[in-house]
Amino acid sequence: MSNLQLLRETHLMDRDYFRLILTLVKGSSEICNHKIRRTGTADEEAVSPDTSSRSGPSRRADDSDGMAILAAEVATTFLFKVYLRVPLHAREDLAEWRSVLQNIMESSATATRLVLVTLARLDAQRRHPLLEETILVNTEEVREFASGVVMDALKIAVTFHHGAFDPTTDTPQDSMPAAVHSMISALLRAGHAVLRDERSLNQAFFAQLILLFRDYGCLGQLQRQHLAIMPHVIEFAAQIVDSVHAYPGTQNQQFVEMQSPLLLLAMLFKSLDTSVMLTEGTIAVDNPFRHSDAATVSVQLLAPAVMDVIPHMCRAEFFVEPTIREALKYLSWENSDLSVKVLDAVSSVCKKGDVLSLYQLALHYAALVGLDDSLKLARLHHFWVARRGDHDVIPGIAALLQTSRGSRQPWRRLALFRLMYFACKDAPELVPKIMKGFPDVISRDNITASYHALAQDNMSPALMVEIRGFLQELIELKFGQSED
């Protein structure tokens, strides 16, 4: 009996066997598409078991749909239970497999639903092994393919087969929208399960799963609302950020693993209702940075997750993303608590962040700090001049530019002067506040000394001209205020 078992497993893992399965499924796919083109019809939701009394185009459409269902079942079972879980050095036919599955699902709504339901199914341990062991714990090649197949199924269900899940309406359990919701829920449960399983967590990569959520949210208004009403999605993404930050790998790996959940959070934050946290006495107005089609989800339920990820979003390597910058502006708008969190995070970047990135992103940091709402002046004062600590007053960022600090860290001083230039240009009323707290900061002597400290470096002529230009304008802003 053991010899028969060995023979079976040997053939099961044979590449010729793998190729045979692909050939069979591909042939079925081509037949389905050919029949659909001839009849000009595709099924909408389900196949009737009684086709004996039908003839002509309707009968052919039912036959092709039945073949599509069988092909989808064989392909999904083979790929996710066998092919993607055996140790192979390379799978050169994955692109072909994905194309074949796309053709099958586009031709049949029932086949699409079958793929979603099959992959979302729970096992006896209430886990999702077909998703966990392909999208989360596997090689990069397999993770990309498996998440791509799931995203194809979701996209085809929504765009071809009326599968958009509307969180505001009741959905029949056996419908396509219900299958879409089941898949999103399964992906979330799979992610949480791996995150809680220490053995799996050590081998897990979450970037593809988070990217899948982002791509689903980008399909449209209902899909963003679908994710936004599931608070565990935001909590899960925030947990991923915290986990990667606590146990970092290489710098590049940490960046990849953190960027994806931060971008997802940035998209979903703009669906939160921050009006519950408006400054007391402020009249509620439309937030100009909010999604026009956003759902209404109370930010009070998610405040810990929001607070925890803000410092990471303000780091230069992530702040460079426009989506993240817009999300931070949305959270800060008329919101004193979140504004303080954002300002403190930007202050940390000014003190410890990469100097070149700070210089390059100075305009964007200045726009965030000087957000034009009713809190603008208070925000600028907190950041540049002083803020109240637990026991005393803590000097603002302008203190780092005092003459007493001399030529220490000349490039950081330059980046901060550039940030101050953009801030004062946008809000000239900031200049006298800085001059009152730190009289020598915007003085000609201090700025000239900072410039000469850099003169010994080998800078390009163009950069020299740029630096001289904004430093001179900063001095002129000071004298303009003095004349006023």
Side-chain angles (χ1 to χ4, degrees), residues 114-406:
L114 181 145
V115 171
L116 291 170
V117 171
T118 300
L119 295 180
R121 190 170 293 138
L122 287 162
D123 67 1
Q125 286 74 44
R126 307 291 295 172
R127 298 282 292 263
H128 296 277
L130 298 186
L131 300 176
E132 293 176 28
E133 296 176 23
T134 55
I135 296 177
L136 291 164
V137 184
N138 215 308
T139 64
E140 182 178 4
E141 173 190 56
V142 170
R143 296 196 310 272
E144 289 183 358
F145 172 79
S147 62
V149 168
V150 172
M151 188 60 224
D152 289 341
L154 290 169
K155 184 176 181 179
I156 290 169
V158 169
T159 58
F160 282 77
H161 305 309
H162 314 293
F165 178 79
D166 187 346
T168 64
T169 62
D170 293 332
T171 303
Q173 190 171 357
D174 60 349
S175 65
M176 185 68 81
V180 168
H181 178 65
S182 176
M183 173 54 74
I184 296 298
S185 300
L187 289 168
L188 187 56
R189 284 195 297 268
H192 274 299
V194 171
L195 201 58
R196 290 191 298 264
D197 185 341
E198 188 172 345
R199 185 176 60 179
S200 298
L201 181 60
N202 292 333
Q203 309 170 55
F205 297 88
F206 293 93
Q208 289 300 325
L209 176 60
I210 297 294
L211 180 61
L212 206 161
F213 284 131
R214 278 177 51 211
D215 288 345
Y216 175 72
C218 289
L219 290 179
Q221 169 190 351
L222 287 177
Q223 288 68 50
R224 281 194 295 275
Q225 290 185 1
H226 186 189
L227 293 175
I229 66 162
M230 299 175 70
H232 293 301
V233 173
I234 291 182
E235 292 172 8
F236 173 66
Q239 287 176 335
I240 296 301
V241 172
D242 182 66
S243 176
V244 174
H245 179 66
Y247 303 100
T250 64
Q251 185 174 1
N252 184 61
Q253 180 185 343
Q254 185 190 36
F255 171 78
V256 171
E257 287 288 309
M258 288 184 72
Q259 183 188 42
S260 198
L262 287 175
L263 286 171
L264 172 63
L265 288 167
M267 179 179 73
L268 295 182
F269 281 168
K270 294 174 69 175
S271 295
L272 301 179
D273 179 13
T274 58
S275 62
V276 294
M277 297 179 68
L278 285 176
T279 305
E280 187 176 353
T282 301
I283 299 175
V285 294
D286 290 338
N287 191 318
F289 303 101
R290 189 185 189 195
H291 284 308
S292 59
D293 53 15
T296 301
V297 182
S298 174
V299 75
Q300 289 180 324
L301 300 175
L302 307 164
V306 174
M307 292 293 189
D308 289 344
V309 301
I310 283 175
H312 299 297
M313 286 186 161
C314 290
R315 287 166 49 181
E317 61 266 39
F318 304 118
F319 189 75
V320 70
E321 293 284 347
T323 304
I324 288 179
R325 295 200 297 267
E326 292 295 294
L328 290 169
K329 290 177 182 177
Y330 172 73
L331 293 175
S332 298
W333 180 264
E334 299 290 4
N335 190 316
S336 57
D337 291 339
L338 292 179
S339 288
V340 168
K341 190 74 175 180
V342 169
L343 294 174
D344 290 348
V346 176
S347 295
S348 179
V349 172
C350 291
K351 296 172 184 177
K352 304 174 185 177
D354 178 70
V355 174
L356 179 59
S357 299
L358 179 60
Y359 181 90
Q360 293 172 337
L361 292 169
L363 176 62
H364 298 298
Y365 280 121
L368 176 60
V369 172
L371 196 61
D372 195 12
D373 60 2
S374 68
L375 298 173
K376 179 175 182 177
L377 293 180
R379 197 182 285 115
L380 289 170
H381 188 275
H382 178 104
F383 181 80
W384 286 107
V385 183
R387 60 186 175 89
R388 191 171 299 280
D390 294 333
H391 304 292
D392 52 7
V393 175
I394 301 173
I397 289 299
L400 299 178
L401 294 171
Q402 294 180 99
T403 305
S404 60
R405 291 181 173 266

Side-chain angles (χ1 to χ4, degrees), residues 42-45 104-110 112-113 155-164 176-177:
D43 77 302
E44 285 300 318
E45 193 63 44
I104 292 172
M105 290 188 289
E106 287 176 4
S107 69
S108 168
T110 314
T112 305
R113 185 174 179 277
K155 184 176 181 179
I156 290 169
V158 169
T159 58
F160 282 77
H161 305 309
H162 314 293
M176 185 68 81

